[in-house]
Amino acid sequence: MYINSRGKLADRLVAYDTALSVLCQHAAASPKDIIHESPCILDLFLQMMHCLCMSGNVEKAIERSYGIFSTTTKSNESHHLSLLEILNCLTVSDKCVFWVCCVYLVIYRRLPDAVVQKFESEKSLLDIEWPVVSLSEDDKEMAIKLVETAVESIDSFVYRESVKSEVNLRSAQLFALNHLRCMAALDNKECFRDLLDKYVEQYPSCIELVLASARIQKQDIDVDGFMGFEEAINRWPKEVPGIQCIWNQYIENAIHNRRIDLAKAITIWWFKSIWQVQVQNLPNGGKEITDDGNSCGSLGLDSKSVSDRFSSDHKQIDMMFGFLNLSLYNFLQNDKTEACIAFDKAKSTASFGGLEQCMKTYVMFLVYDAWSLKEDGSDGA
């Protein structure tokens, strides 16, 4: 209300700066409160940048973004110190969002839609889209320099012993994912491959990076080259949720490439080496697997290293993929009854957030694709 009541743009910008200054002073005076102040500071800053963009002042927004880079001399305004103060008052997770948004603004002259839609709520870097963009060589070089500066900044915070946490690690992983997407959008293929190898080694438990590496390896070899998925399965840390998702994507890629024979072989391999072994090792021969979505630990999908909501969600998602794999296995074995039962268990497991609808759409695509291949043969779908 304090900001939105200002009718003139200049007055509104002054209100933004005043509010940010007060919040930053409070956070600096009481570091223990940064975890609470940080989301508000980040949101106000991004809303201010969005306000500039929507009012036709994109260049001013970009100049303010350049103010956080000490090596940049483009800015004609004295916002350098205040932006650094903002950055210092953010948590690692919010720093990642801050940097990605600044780089995105410089490249696309606007903020990411996925972030704008989350004003005044928790923001995620996972859904940010980086469409291919054509920039002049000078602008492209500058964008890459900004990204490199952002990477150095995030690395310096993530690897401090005092700020290590699962949430910070996940934020760093998603920052890396956006770094890769940014390089792909800028058509910097050589840098993309080198970065992908670096990040997969740096974050071996990041499912998005591992799957990206598997898909890239497949593209580099040929349409039948699925070694990347097998390597991902063999390398995946046993204590980290995600293995079921990798198997699922392995199957999906086979179906997508009209290799129903391979998809069937993969599901059999998965069933015998993963599912059947785990069920046989359960008490009472696997009767602990229920329909209530609470069999995560029983199926070997639990992780002793994490216990917060973040990790719980990942275990639940991986459990959902396990039941999807079971459904696909039964479907390709012509056992539609068991396929439906497994699908219902996956649906029950995915009943949190907005994942259920996403899962339904994804599974129906797979089932339709597999059904077409079974009906028409591998050449007919």
Side-chain angles (χ1 to χ4, degrees):
M1 196 60 159
Y2 168 74
I3 295 172
N4 294 335
S5 63
R6 268 65 176 172
K8 295 181 179 180
L9 176 63
D11 293 339
R12 182 168 294 193
L13 292 177
V14 170
Y16 273 120
D17 285 330
T18 301
L20 284 169
S21 178
V22 171
L23 286 172
C24 287
Q25 288 176 15
H26 185 272
S30 182
K32 68 179 184 299
D33 292 332
I34 284 182
I35 191 172
H36 304 295
E37 303 282 1
S38 176
C40 298
I41 294 171
L42 174 67
D43 200 78
L44 272 181
F45 170 75
L46 294 178
Q47 286 196 44
M48 178 179 67
M49 302 299 271
H50 183 61
C51 176
L52 284 168
C53 293
M54 295 301 292
S55 62
N57 292 277
V58 177
E59 292 301 330
K60 286 188 177 181
I62 291 176
E63 286 179 0
R64 290 202 174 199
S65 293
Y66 278 124
I68 54 179
F69 304 102
S70 59
T71 58
T72 302
T73 59
K74 267 195 168 185
S75 179
N76 295 320
E77 299 186 28
S78 57
H79 295 286
H80 179 79
L81 182 60
S82 64
L83 290 179
L84 286 178
E85 288 176 342
I86 290 173
L87 187 63
N88 289 332
C89 292
L90 300 179
T91 61
V92 172
S93 179
D94 287 337
K95 281 181 172 70
C96 291
V97 177
F98 177 95
W99 283 99
V100 168
C101 287
C102 286
V103 172
Y104 196 98
L105 174 62
V106 169
I107 294 175
Y108 297 103
R109 302 175 67 82
R110 62 182 176 86
L111 292 179
D113 291 338
V115 171
V116 173
Q117 293 166 5
K118 291 292 185 178
F119 281 160
E120 300 183 13
S121 62
E122 185 177 356
K123 298 163 185 62
S124 171
L125 295 176
L126 183 59
D127 298 325
I128 294 179
E129 297 181 355
W130 295 79
V132 176
V133 62
S134 179
L135 299 177
S136 67
E137 286 301 315
D138 288 343
D139 287 343
K140 182 177 179 179
E141 182 180 354
M142 180 58 69
I144 291 175
K145 286 182 178 179
L146 300 187
V147 174
E148 291 173 349
T149 306
V151 171
E152 292 176 3
S153 174
I154 294 301
D155 284 350
S156 68
F157 285 103
V158 169
Y159 293 105
R160 286 183 186 175
E161 194 69 32
S162 59
V163 297
K164 284 185 178 179
S165 72
E166 288 296 323
V167 173
N168 290 343
L169 175 61
R170 180 58 177 167
S171 296
Q173 291 173 351
L174 294 181
F175 178 85
L177 185 65
N178 278 272
H179 187 185
L180 287 168
R181 290 173 175 173
C182 177
M183 293 300 100
L186 295 174
D187 198 28
N188 196 334
K189 296 179 180 177
E190 183 177 347
C191 181
F192 177 89
R193 301 300 172 92
D194 292 341
L195 280 174
L196 182 57
D197 291 341
K198 167 195 168 184
Y199 281 135
V200 169
E201 181 177 354
Q202 189 171 347
Y203 304 118
S205 62
C206 177
I207 189 70
E208 293 86 3
L209 293 174
V210 170
L211 289 174
S213 178
R215 294 187 185 108
I216 288 295
Q217 287 189 48
K218 180 181 177 300
Q219 292 175 10
D220 287 346
I221 302 172
D222 53 50
V223 74
D224 294 325
F226 292 89
M227 290 180 59
F229 289 99
E230 296 178 15
E231 291 177 3
I233 289 170
N234 292 331
R235 291 199 307 261
W236 188 257
K238 292 182 179 180
E239 72 278 6
V240 178
I243 189 66
Q244 299 288 353
C245 181
I246 298 176
W247 277 100
N248 185 270
Q249 292 296 289
Y250 192 5
I251 299 166
E252 187 272 338
N253 269 263
I255 293 175
H256 183 73
N257 284 278
R258 303 182 180 184
R259 287 294 309 277
I260 196 65
D261 56 333
L262 178 61
K264 184 175 181 179
I266 295 170
T267 59
I268 293 173
W269 178 20
W270 167 84
F271 183 77
K272 291 182 178 179
S273 64
I274 302 296
W275 192 263
Q276 200 171 52
V277 171
Q278 290 174 345
V279 171
Q280 287 177 348
N281 290 335
L282 293 177
N284 302 319
K287 292 181 180 179
E288 290 184 13
I289 301 178
T290 63
D291 294 328
D292 59 5
N294 292 322
S295 56
C296 186
S298 301
L299 293 176
L301 304 178
D302 206 352
S303 174
K304 295 181 180 179
S305 61
V306 288
S307 59
D308 55 10
R309 177 179 60 83
F310 164 82
S311 297
S312 177
D313 286 351
H314 277 72
K315 289 184 288 185
Q316 203 168 357
I317 291 171
D318 206 41
M319 182 183 176
M320 177 199 74
F321 278 113
F323 284 122
L324 290 182
N325 294 339
L326 182 62
S327 179
L328 287 169
Y329 166 80
N330 286 316
F331 180 82
L332 294 173
Q333 295 296 318
N334 295 315
D335 192 339
K336 296 178 183 177
T337 300
E338 288 299 319
C340 289
I341 292 173
F343 176 80
D344 287 340
K345 289 182 178 180
K347 185 170 63 173
S348 174
T349 305
S351 61
F352 56 93
L355 187 60
E356 182 174 359
Q357 185 60 41
C358 177
M359 185 269 290
K360 284 182 179 179
T361 303
Y362 172 72
V363 173
M364 290 310 297
F365 163 77
L366 277 183
V367 171
Y368 174 79
D369 211 348
W371 181 262
S372 298
L373 288 167
K374 286 173 70 66
E375 290 291 315
D376 301 329
S378 59
D379 297 327

